[in-house]
Amino acid sequence: MVDVLIVGGGNAALCAALMAREAGASVLMLEASPKDWRGGNSQHTRNLRCMHDAPQDVLVEAYPEEEYWQDLLKVTGGETNEPLARLVIRASSNCRDWMRRHGVRFQPPLSGALHVARTNAFFMGGGKALVNAYYRSAEALGVKVRYETPVTEMLLDGDRFVGVVTEAGERITAKACVLAAGGFESNREWLREAWGRNDRGEWPADNFLIRGTRFNQGVLLKAMMKAGADMIGDPSQGHCVAIDARAPLYDGGICTRIDCVSLGVVVNREGERFYDEGEDFWPKRYAIWGRLVAQQPDQIAYSIIDRKVVGRFMPPVFPGVVADSLPELAAKLELPVETFMETLDGYNAACQPGTFNHTVLDDCMTEGVAPAKTHWAQKIDTAPFYAYALRPGITFTYLSLKVDDTAAVRFADKPSPNLFVAGEMMAGNVLGKGYTAGVGMSIGTAFGRIAGTGAAAAARAAHTIGRH
Amino acid sequence: MAAIDTLMDLAGKAERELDANVAEVDRILHICNACRYCESFCAVFPAMTRRLDFNVADAHYLANLCHNCSACLYACQYAPPHEFGVNVPKALAQVRRDTYIEYAFPRVFGELYRCNGLTVAMAVSLGVAAFLIATILIKGSLFVPGLEGEFYAIFPHNTLALVFGAASLFSVVALAIGVTRFWRQVSEPGKPVAMPAAVGEAAKSALTLQYLGGGHGDGCNNKDDAFTLWRRRFHHFTFYGFMLCFASTSVATLYHYLFGLEAPYPIFSLPVILGTLGGIGLLIGPAGLFWLNMRRNPLQMDDRQKTMDRGFIALLFFISLTGLALLAWRDSPAMPLLLAIHLGFVMGLFVTLPYGKFAHGIFRCAALLKHAIEKRRPNPVQAGAD
Ligand SMILES: Cc1cc2nc3c(=O)[nH]c(=O)nc-3n(C[C@H](O)[C@H](O)[C@H](O)COP(=O)(O)OP(=O)(O)OC[C@H]3O[C@@H](n4cnc5c(N)ncnc54)[C@H](O)[C@@H]3O)c2cc1C
Ligand code: HEM
Ligand code: SF4
Ligand code: SF4
């Protein structure tokens, strides 16, 4: 029987596997996906939010614990757990040497992402390069990996882990286990149920795109809920951003973002604006736009810009719809031309003179139009005109297993002796709502490592007991 | 008429192929430009962020800037089987072949790249045959006792100098015209920059093969996502081996004309030491590159260049092997035979310099220089989402 069984194959699972193996345990990983698709959402990530008190290789200046904590407190609106959050923050300050030892490499912030140069360490080549490095290191250390092996059932004896059953019906037992199988964001049925039906009679989640993997079906979250594990986090919530409507249903990843929203206007299917596009810098606002678009009829909206701002935002992956006049653009988008023109004419007329500067919160704003546009409000009047259709793209869900600082799964507020959880499956403890770039990987790395160490110790304990 | 139609057809096909290859680069780099995760691996991605669309000139430039290290293939979240099917090294390799064809001088000879294995084999066979026949014509036999070490007793020095001088002059001119045309097409006017610094940086990148290091210095990929420095090392053996052989020949020429010292030179003379060291490098390097090439993941390469790459590797290997054999047996009756074979291989290399894999070094240097210049100018795209 193997000492430690790891369910999942993303960042949290790999960190747990490596730590357990380094602690001397024999380790078997079960990854649901084929090898080509391994790594879950972790393969789409680009950085890790890191505390540091002084400049560190790719990180500039300082990002002290307190500031990091305040940032988390702000984005979660208090739905966090201070001791666990601080544990993650401190772990983020010293995990990178360990990551490097296992082959992860860091790079300076990507062009277009300088706003996080101080707070976030970027993985060279992105998350897939990180995942590849961890798999190489794990295999070199003797961790066994089985791909295409989704787990469907948990075998428990009270609060004690016994084994799992795979989709193929195989029973695999182990002395200890780490669950790191992600959230339920890939499960369209569950999303539909969670988001429910709106006043228009629509099921909004039917129009959501999944930004990451198709393998995070939440099977184990469900299984653990059924088994009576303690849960945390709003089951009806997820992190949702506005992305290109033409993105593939799964795995569109980072490149499907549309970064021109704040430089133009956004209209819905009726040809009407519905929110201040210039409220703040786009990286600070793209998350609320997922929800905003989800509230529009048909869960679609259109970002409209003109020639003047081309080259002023990160280039979109697909070409926009182009037209030489605004009515023509509306017609191409199959929007009601009259309302569309009323909206744009109204907006254009409301634009006040100012000095446009897309790199600061400038003084270009509208007056006398609702909703107002409070920055970067320039007339949309220079052909050609471009449009990009937007849809809500779901990044992850918040529903989690409740943990304390040992990463043990809990039943009726008592920790299991040999079942642990890491990554997205428990991120809701720290991040009950909201998001700030790079926190997902910080949580997964910190708790993956704790869970791996804990599981190895639990396996050792089981071994000693077994001998007597 | 039919012949003209066929020719037109061929030309049309080549053009469509070029268009398709450039279109693929444009498609893929639009995805990369929206993603940028690979920015630190090499120079291609920083160069990409200076552009929003990729025309024919951009594609040629970026294709030759790429060192085919393939780090960006294994790191790519959109690589096959993803529906985006992003494979940067392959797409750029395909355009690289088009560069060699398009910019060859004279242009029609560019077509030789389409069947490069055959081109090299023919050049070598003809070269060897010509020298063998010449030897027999001059001396009546390939085994001539009494000529031990007397190279110029078979081919007078001036004849050799003339024949090889003419061949290399032609090759150098053809390569120079090709790369000049390439340069004209890919370079655009801009703010003047400090040229010495730019040239120095480009030379350093080329001489150290910086971009086979993967950005982190761990090396490049060959058969899977693990990094290896061996491709760079074997290329160093090859490149510096080649340069040492070249130095050996140059020194020997100086000895001959300046000091009236005639070959064969003693074992511990400069030309022989340089030639022997270079020859050893040119055995180890190509052998290693061949070994790596055979094990390379087919996803990383343009299939149609396999014969060109391997043919060139083999050619270098055999030049060195025959050269070292000639050194070993220069005092035996087999000398004329060995000399003829060695000269034949060298001639095969010389005449195919502008129509074979050798061109990669020249175009890559040009692309590196362009990059070193361009990065010293402000980025025309101010896309900062900050
Ligand atoms: C497009 C995108 C970009 C992101 N960028 C960042 C970023 O830059 N920085 C950051 O910190 N966070 C980012 N995130 C969030 C980040 O991806 C997650 O926080 C993190 O990857 C979670 O890691 P994990 O190991 O818990 O889950 P995952 O990496 O999703 O791994 C889950 C694994 O479990 C496997 N699995 C699922 N079900 C089963 C089963 N039943 N049996 C066996 N295996 C199973 C899956 O195949 C997968 O391998 C991003 C997310 C997305 C979608
Ligand atoms: C001067 C600048 C040069 C540069 C920057 C350069 C760079 C490179 C790079 C990046 C590769 C790997 C990608 C590819 O196959 O195209 C390569 C391959 C190769 N180079 Fe060079 N090169 C240079 C000169 C030379 C010279 C002078 C020789 C030998 C005479 C040479 C011999 C080879 C060979 C044999 C290969 C093929 C090996 C393989 O299959 O990987 N190179 N070169
Ligand atoms: S190769 Fe892939 S991961 Fe790298 S920049 Fe391009 S799209 Fe992004
Ligand atoms: S293969 Fe290597 S050199 Fe070429 S673009 Fe990719 S990372 Fe750059």
Side-chain angles (χ1 to χ4, degrees), chain A residues 30 56 61 86 167 218 240 249 254 306 321 358 376 385 390 405 407 451:
Chain A
L30 305 179
Q56 263 182 18
E61 297 166 37
R86 288 196 184 265
E167 195 177 69
C240 203
L249 184 50
I254 191 100
D306 70 1
V321 174
H358 68 295
W376 311 298
F385 302 95
L390 304 169
D405 60 3

Side-chain angles (χ1 to χ4, degrees), chain B residues 110-160:
Chain B
E111 299 302 319
L112 294 173
Y113 278 104
R114 290 189 202 279
C115 40
N116 209 259
L118 187 66
T119 304
V120 170
M122 289 290 289
V124 170
S125 318
L126 287 176
V128 173
F131 282 101
L132 287 176
I133 292 168
T135 309
I136 294 174
L137 285 182
I138 296 167
K139 289 290 156 196
S141 163
L142 287 172
F143 294 91
V144 195
L147 281 182
E148 286 77 6
E150 299 285 327
F151 301 148
Y152 305 131
I154 307 173
F155 304 113
H157 188 274
N158 285 343
T159 314
L160 284 182

Side-chain angles (χ1 to χ4, degrees), chain B residues 157-348:
Chain B
H157 188 274
N158 285 343
T159 314
L160 284 182
L162 192 72
V163 171
F164 280 92
S168 54
L169 187 69
F170 172 77
S171 290
V172 168
V173 169
L175 277 172
I177 294 177
V179 77
T180 308
R181 291 191 353 209
F182 171 78
W183 185 259
R184 287 224 181 98
Q185 183 170 4
V186 304
S187 61
E188 62 252 357
K191 205 170 108 308
V193 303
M195 274 315 267
V199 171
E201 182 184 312
K204 187 164 166 242
S205 304
L207 293 175
T208 59
L209 281 183
Q210 180 185 353
Y211 297 117
L212 281 185
H216 34 49
D218 296 345
C220 58
N221 300 93
N222 198 53
K223 75 183 204 314
D224 56 25
D225 59 79
F227 298 99
T228 171
L229 283 167
W230 281 106
R231 198 163 175 212
R232 180 199 266 172
R233 289 180 184 140
F234 285 131
H235 194 287
H236 281 338
F237 274 110
T238 309
F239 177 82
Y240 290 103
F242 183 84
M243 294 317 258
L244 286 173
C245 292
F246 184 72
S248 160
T249 315
S250 308
V251 171
T253 309
L254 288 182
Y255 275 19
H256 188 93
Y257 287 112
L258 245 51
F259 311 120
L261 292 172
E262 282 206 3
Y265 300 106
I267 296 288
F268 290 106
S269 64
L270 198 52
V272 176
I273 292 175
L274 290 173
T276 310
L277 287 178
I280 292 169
L282 217 40
L283 279 184
I284 297 174
L289 287 176
F290 194 75
W291 183 69
L292 289 173
N293 189 298
M294 297 298 286
R295 294 160 57 90
R296 191 156 309 143
N297 185 342
L299 269 180
Q300 295 178 209
M301 323 196 259
D302 172 14
D303 250 2
R304 295 168 310 175
Q305 289 173 54
K306 239 188 304 193
T307 45
M308 172 180 80
D309 289 347
R310 292 180 189 169
F312 185 61
I313 294 173
L315 182 55
L316 294 171
F317 183 84
F318 284 113
I319 286 178
S320 172
L321 192 69
T322 55
L324 291 174
L326 180 60
L327 176 67
W329 286 287
R330 64 182 182 182
D331 293 327
S332 82
M335 185 279 281
L337 172 69
L338 291 171
L339 179 66
I341 294 176
H342 180 60
L343 292 178
F345 271 101
V346 177
M347 187 49 97

Side-chain angles (χ1 to χ4, degrees), chain A residues 44 107 111 115 136 251-252, chain B residues 37 39-40 77-78 225 386:
Chain A
H44 290 295
Q107 62 182 344
S111 55
H115 55 289
R136 279 200 307 277
D251 287 300
Chain B
Y37 281 15
E39 224 165 68
S40 305
Q77 51 192 324
Y78 305 116
D225 59 79
D386 308 290

